[in-house]
Amino acid sequence: MAGAVGQGGDSGIDAAAASVALEVVDAWWRAANYLSVGQIYLMDDPLLDEPLTPEHIKPRLLGHWGTSPGLSLVYAHLNRAIVERGTPTLYVCGPGHGGPAMVANTWLDGTYSELFPTVTADREGMRRLFRQFSFPGGIPSHAAPETPGSINEGGELGYSLMHAYGAALDNPGLVVACVIGDGEAETGPLAASWRAHAFLNPVTDGAVLPILHLNGYKIANPTLLARIPESELVEFLRGNGYEPLLVTGGFDDEDHLAVHARMADAIDVAYERLADIRADAAAGAFHRRPPRWPAIVLRTPKGWTGPGVVDGVQVEGTFHAHQVPLAGVRENTEHLAMLEAWLRSYRPEELFDADGRPVPELDALRPRGDLRMSATPVANGGIVRPLVLPDSAPFAVEVDPGARGASGEATSVFARWLAELMRDNPDDMRLFGPDEVLSNRLGAVFDVTDRAWAAEVRPLDEHLARSGSVIEALSEHLMQGLLEGYLLTGRHGLITSYEAFVHIVDSMFNQHAKWLESANDVAWRGDVASLNYLLSSHVWRQDHNGFSHQDPGFLNVVVNKQAAVVRVYLPPDANTLLAVARHVFDTQNRVNVVVAGKQPHPQWLTAEEAEAHVTAGLGVWAWAGSEPGFDAVDPAASVPDVVLACAGDVPTLETIAAAQLLRDRLPGLAVRVVNVVDLMRLQDPSHHPHGLPDREFDAIFTRASPVIFAFHGYPSLIHQLAYRRTNHKNLHVRGFIERGTTTTPFDMVHLNDLDRYRLALDAVRRVPGLAGEPGIAEIADEWHAARAVARDHAYEHGEDPEWITGWEFSAG
Amino acid sequence: MAGAVGQGGDSGIDAAAASVALEVVDAWWRAANYLSVGQIYLMDDPLLDEPLTPEHIKPRLLGHWGTSPGLSLVYAHLNRAIVERGTPTLYVCGPGHGGPAMVANTWLDGTYSELFPTVTADREGMRRLFRQFSFPGGIPSHAAPETPGSINEGGELGYSLMHAYGAALDNPGLVVACVIGDGEAETGPLAASWRAHAFLNPVTDGAVLPILHLNGYKIANPTLLARIPESELVEFLRGNGYEPLLVTGGFDDEDHLAVHARMADAIDVAYERLADIRADAAAGAFHRRPPRWPAIVLRTPKGWTGPGVVDGVQVEGTFHAHQVPLAGVRENTEHLAMLEAWLRSYRPEELFDADGRPVPELDALRPRGDLRMSATPVANGGIVRPLVLPDSAPFAVEVDPGARGASGEATSVFARWLAELMRDNPDDMRLFGPDEVLSNRLGAVFDVTDRAWAAEVRPLDEHLARSGSVIEALSEHLMQGLLEGYLLTGRHGLITSYEAFVHIVDSMFNQHAKWLESANDVAWRGDVASLNYLLSSHVWRQDHNGFSHQDPGFLNVVVNKQAAVVRVYLPPDANTLLAVARHVFDTQNRVNVVVAGKQPHPQWLTAEEAEAHVTAGLGVWAWAGSEPGFDAVDPAASVPDVVLACAGDVPTLETIAAAQLLRDRLPGLAVRVVNVVDLMRLQDPSHHPHGLPDREFDAIFTRASPVIFAFHGYPSLIHQLAYRRTNHKNLHVRGFIERGTTTTPFDMVHLNDLDRYRLALDAVRRVPGLAGEPGIAEIADEWHAARAVARDHAYEHGEDPEWITGWEFSAG
């Protein structure tokens, strides 16, 4: 259970009585700093048994020293709090490029050697620890999936605080300590995260302790928050709902123990306040007003304890300490001597025994078992509990196979199943939306839960409560980041967005996909639930929002990631969406992107057909075509004159209407209709695990008949996926070609050459031997008429003519 | 000149003496509200000459009422300030989906009828104004390029305040009033923008007046900032460097004139403070400390003055007022009556004469000429002054055509020219970077300018000053948004980013491209300078940052936009980068993406060759190949056995090395090397204006020889661009296939099958008749050896072996 995280094993009560001397905290800190410097510089001689020579030094000096001492200071003090209090704590490291520090502390914790047995807790292990860092065949220079206890990659900055809040949700009793670099604090996503406590319930959720680390500099610039008056900084944090605790230290050669004393005080006050907040909330205070959360501001010099002046340039306390303070160690004997003095300044002989093992005195600061931040199952353990997946049958819409095409709203239907899913999984399934849950027609979830809201609630508010499984704020970044934090700590969720605006989180998607790609190679990480997107309010139905809301390009971003982790589904109707949904919530370690419409739209498949269709991923819809002798078991037994393929609800409607048109006007033409719901089926099986084998692909798409493919997104994507297929040269794709405006649905497909007439003409013009058929001229005439008549009607009346809106499918 | 914006024409001094009665402000506001409601609902009967009937009502009711009255309130009061003070003011409308309000006010200004002559300032014009809104063939429902005076699209929220600050830069004397919706205020980009005054100089730049409009609700939720205690909100704004002025009104049927009085006071105080700040700064105060800027918090009911209760549901003052408060007007006679009562509540008979013209009393609130916010050349006028483009010849690197391949750093070389460009254009050319200007090796610009920095400056700081043309903060969003605001107000600029992290602004790029696409169709908008990206620290050289920093996918996002506005350049060396740069800064209305390396790298082309190469966009590098009888004037005169094509600096190096390998091992093989610098040359000329005509394309890439294309990005992009070309079936692309880690440069190309051996083998395996040639086996052996030896060497020594790092080009 989520609430018990980190309290099992041999940790807990007996550890909570101890009190740790600050000298031990300092020793841990020195050890972590020593190990950080060692990782950046040393290939050998980890314990300085002999004077350093150029051969001991790595040929390429890579890594970030500047932030590392601050990260280790926090780590040591959190360890102290955990040891003294037994409070399960997760460390989210915003300045994750300070990888050396995070790795150093996890090695001191003992966790690193447990998870990577060749990196032992001794001299040889230390040598390997140093050598592997930011080294070919080794480990990344950032906190990464390879870093025990981490759920936050340190490369692209901005997401630490949202990951922290996501981790805290539904993890009562957990403290998520989140170090935020003052560089990262300038990013938009981080700036939007400060208020995420507005969704936190102090009783049923954990707590987040932001630790804003002001070391004053980014790569090459001072940071904004370090250069404003302290009074303004305090107002900023108070204005975001926090009560700041200020710790400044390490300047002007201040004694380190004095800094430790202040930091220990701040941590103690923070943990006590968090406990008080929880207790007060449990006693009812939270229902009256939200708490004011503690936050620590830690101001220390960048590169603290590193070289002061190098070659006449001040390094410690400036941006020159950001990466490698001594750059010429291999060539410059003075630099080499400075490095050795720097390493020896930590007095390694007091910290490691003759075999390189951390001295027993450090044991006092090492939490036991799962309480170690590097060993917490919250970060490393994977899915806490599998989802209970309700049956979707009761939610399916009635479709009569003899009279297909009745109207239904896909996302509304899905929402009723989603409500059941959330009812069945109240503690570990959440829905996140940028104020678009209702707009995307998912309001049925409010029959079973509410939106979590810690701020003021007023009498007229709807579905706002102190507890609830839905979270909404107008920030795609924040919603995505909370969901990522929630998933990476073992829970389940869904994010919904307008299709166009999911581009806002392209880069977050990229980084999450990369995390999954890398984590797949980390044996000790548990599986995590897939990140599921439901994109609605899509490109074809932005009737009043227009051009700025018309962009289906997220799919292009998605398919560039490794095939092992990405899936794209385009269910054409409600029952197919239900089947897709039930499938994607049952997957792990992936990103599933589902695009579905919210508007009234024809329904095609029965629940059983939809289930089979999703299992197959694509298939022939014989009832929509006109192919004599078609055999569903052996599609290759017949060869149609033309294949009309489609993916997406609007293209599917136009395709079916085009097939109907062809049936009417060219009754002899053998037309096969293929619908694709699992887009990756199109890709070569050597490129994607869902790729359909060539033989099956050829049987369905034929080896030589023209294929007119009506696609939801940019046409190039279909070519990109299918270009290795036998029949690719006959594949002609229509899709969104960046023509949009405020207009009617038919005008949109028409503008982009995706309307039924255009598709029908595409088809007949590519079938040999049809030239001169009167039906072709009829369709062409209809097309020309439709263009003019529909446009005129729309311009005159503001809506499509009745022959479009009233079109009905007939099985012919 | 930038400083004179809005002060020319018949505006200015004589207007500044007038004082406007609040009754006139209220009348303007009522008129704007009337016109807003009319746009949402009415197809006819604009002046309510007859009782409303269903036929007068649009069949589809689309648009956003909720925010509109607040936007018009601000507009009216800003008009008052402009009329009374003569201060040039730009209105940036964050809640731009309140398009009806913005359009209404511009029509009242008279500007709309001047720019759209059919929408006259009379009854028939009003009818057209109403009918066209969010109507097929009409105008978008958001503030958009079609909206006079707007530089901010109202669809995707979050960018208003950064656009405002970008507009204020180098526009001394200008006030940019920026209305921020409380929904938008939840986004990350907006949250990161509050501190953008850190880059503003009150003397040489204009000022931004944020007006945070708390109407309390988003689409379907309350907003966070509206539900925190007012004291906390004040702390938040003070903590961001502002002095808030609070205006709350419109609740509990408060008299409107009382609200106007408070709003007028706040606006007066704000304008006076801004003038004081400017004067104080000019007198020297700014050099001591940054000012505290005024900001207005305007709290009014959502949908204020609209229907109160509809069908028993409270609408005014709740999220139910967000879009169309009365949804059933055509069918429901009660709704219809409510609409008519609502419209008549504004007393249109007092506001418009019998012909529908605004009554003369409103003239008092209409600024003259260019001082109208809807007519300001700042927003509508296009480029203020063309760039002075320095000659690039003095900055070119020496390349000896007889001994190509000496080492140079492309971005460092470019930076020296960029410095000259910035020196020559000190008032209207800016460089924006997310703390990556130095890291991307552009530090030479600091020889001529500094980073603008209004916060504390300390003695050890480098290149920070109260004035400077470089702006850096660790937010790609903020940098992009400032640049957009700067460009859309007629100036010039460059943004630099790490290649992977430019994905952070994918969606901003999309929206800017869409703006340009739409603006191309708006006759009265002036041209704007292209948005230029310099992407460096690219996918192939992330030796220590590893996988999170390896992503070339921005190019895929870019090419999905309309061909008229996007260009992609991949200069393979320094002189080519110089030639590209000189070209892109001379273009308008586009987005130019330039990807270039910052590491030491072989240099290939002389300055003259580079210029010719960029003009051609692609070309044969005969000196790198081995094709007997090649004729540069007529490439079709010879047909090589194989074409080695390349785009990007690292792929170019590997391609040239592969060609050299083939020359050595298979001396009889005719190899043609083609380098592509202008990627869009590959696309069909019917799809892109830069597309090479098929005949020329076939002459260079041949009609049937195998083409091995080594590409900087994802391979699919080359197929996407070239799939219509004659020889596409023989095109084999290597590129980044999402395999990355912390490793050496050679290991990276090797991991992704892009190394020289792999390319050479790709080539020979596709040339018929070569089987059994001993040279092939030699290359295969070398490849296998290189794999093992290079990997072993890297794992052992942390760097590539000398036979890679020391490779030298020989012309053979």
Side-chain angles (χ1 to χ4, degrees), chain A residues 346-684:
Chain A
Y346 299 116
R347 309 194 297 280
E349 64 283 4
E350 298 176 8
L351 308 171
F352 309 103
D353 69 15
D355 291 330
R357 297 176 203 284
V359 295
E361 288 77 359
L362 295 178
D363 291 352
L365 204 64
R366 188 178 300 117
R368 296 192 192 173
D370 286 357
L371 273 180
R372 292 173 298 178
M373 293 181 288
S374 50
T376 174
V378 174
N380 304 350
I383 294 170
V384 177
R385 196 181 63 86
L387 269 187
V388 176
L389 280 173
D391 185 10
S392 56
F395 306 95
V397 296
E398 277 298 322
V399 170
D400 175 359
R404 301 180 196 262
S407 182
E409 295 175 14
T411 58
S412 295
V413 172
F414 161 72
R416 291 192 283 276
W417 178 79
L418 177 65
E420 193 74 5
L421 180 70
M422 297 183 77
R423 189 205 305 271
D424 288 351
N425 301 275
D427 300 326
D428 50 2
M429 167 68 212
R430 294 237 183 195
L431 170 63
F432 300 85
D435 193 28
E436 289 161 4
V437 166
L438 275 186
S439 177
N440 282 338
R441 309 273 201 273
L442 303 180
V445 298
F446 296 123
D447 294 344
V448 304
T449 187
D450 290 301
R451 300 181 184 97
W453 188 257
E456 184 191 355
V457 178
R458 295 183 185 165
L460 288 176
D461 287 336
E462 300 177 16
H463 314 305
L464 284 190
R466 284 291 187 245
S467 277
S469 297
V470 179
I471 292 187
E472 292 209 77
L474 208 163
S475 168
E476 286 79 2
H477 290 114
L478 183 55
M479 296 302 100
Q480 167 97 10
L482 291 173
L483 174 55
E484 288 176 359
Y486 198 64
L487 296 175
L488 292 176
T489 52
R491 285 78 61 78
H492 311 268
L494 173 68
I495 181 170
T496 185
S497 170
Y498 278 28
E499 182 184 38
F501 300 151
V502 74
H503 267 302
I504 291 171
V505 293
D506 274 4
S507 212
M508 297 185 74
F509 154 78
N510 271 340
Q511 296 295 334
H512 187 74
K514 282 175 178 283
W515 177 282
L516 296 175
E517 291 168 5
S518 295
N520 277 341
D521 297 329
V522 178
W524 48 263
R525 280 204 176 267
D527 290 334
V528 295
S530 297
L531 196 163
N532 299 317
Y533 291 94
L534 176 65
L535 308 182
S536 194
S537 308
H538 63 54
V539 53
W540 299 106
R541 294 306 305 273
Q542 288 297 339
D543 313 0
H544 71 301
N545 284 311
F547 199 40
S548 66
H549 287 51
Q550 290 160 342
D551 193 307
F554 184 62
L555 303 186
N556 297 65
V557 175
V558 169
V559 300
N560 277 339
K561 296 297 120 185
Q562 284 179 8
V565 305
V566 292
R567 303 289 184 273
V568 176
Y569 299 91
L570 294 151
D573 67 4
N575 287 339
T576 317
L577 172 57
L578 277 178
V580 165
R582 211 179 172 300
H583 169 69
V584 299
F585 278 106
D586 204 19
T587 66
Q588 292 82 42
N589 307 318
R590 293 184 194 160
V591 177
N592 297 303
V593 181
V594 183
V595 186
K598 70 179 185 182
Q599 302 289 353
H601 197 83
Q603 302 298 305
W604 309 112
L605 299 190
T606 68
E608 295 70 27
E609 288 170 340
E611 188 67 36
H613 189 46
V614 171
T615 302
L618 57 78
V620 176
W621 285 6
W623 49 265
S626 53
E627 185 183 358
F630 173 75
D631 178 356
V633 179
D634 180 14
S638 60
V639 178
D641 293 318
V642 63
V643 176
L644 296 188
C646 50
D649 59 354
V650 166
T652 297
L653 168 58
E654 293 305 311
T655 294
I656 288 175
Q660 186 160 322
L661 203 58
L662 291 172
R663 235 174 16 239
D664 291 347
R665 299 288 178 267
L666 292 145
L669 195 69
V671 176
R672 176 181 291 184
V673 172
V674 175
N675 182 270
V676 180
V677 58
D678 175 353
L679 203 63
M680 306 319 279
R681 294 299 255 172
L682 297 179
Q683 205 166 18
D684 193 273

Side-chain angles (χ1 to χ4, degrees), chain A residues 334-356:
Chain A
E334 193 187 341
H335 281 201
L336 186 64
M338 289 174 78
L339 172 61
E340 184 161 341
W342 176 14
L343 282 161
R344 291 198 189 281
S345 75
Y346 299 116
R347 309 194 297 280
E349 64 283 4
E350 298 176 8
L351 308 171
F352 309 103
D353 69 15
D355 291 330

Side-chain angles (χ1 to χ4, degrees), chain A residues 59-60 506 543 551 561 797, chain B residues 59-60 506 543 551 561 797:
Chain A
R60 308 180 73 209
D506 274 4
D543 313 0
D551 193 307
K561 296 297 120 185
H797 302 284
Chain B
R60 308 180 73 211
D506 274 4
D543 313 1
D551 195 307
K561 294 298 120 185
H797 302 284

Side-chain angles (χ1 to χ4, degrees), chain A residues 117-130:
Chain A
T118 63
V119 186
T120 43
D122 58 14
R123 173 192 311 262
E124 176 57 16
M126 194 189 293
R127 195 186 67 84
R128 290 188 178 180
L129 186 80
F130 289 1

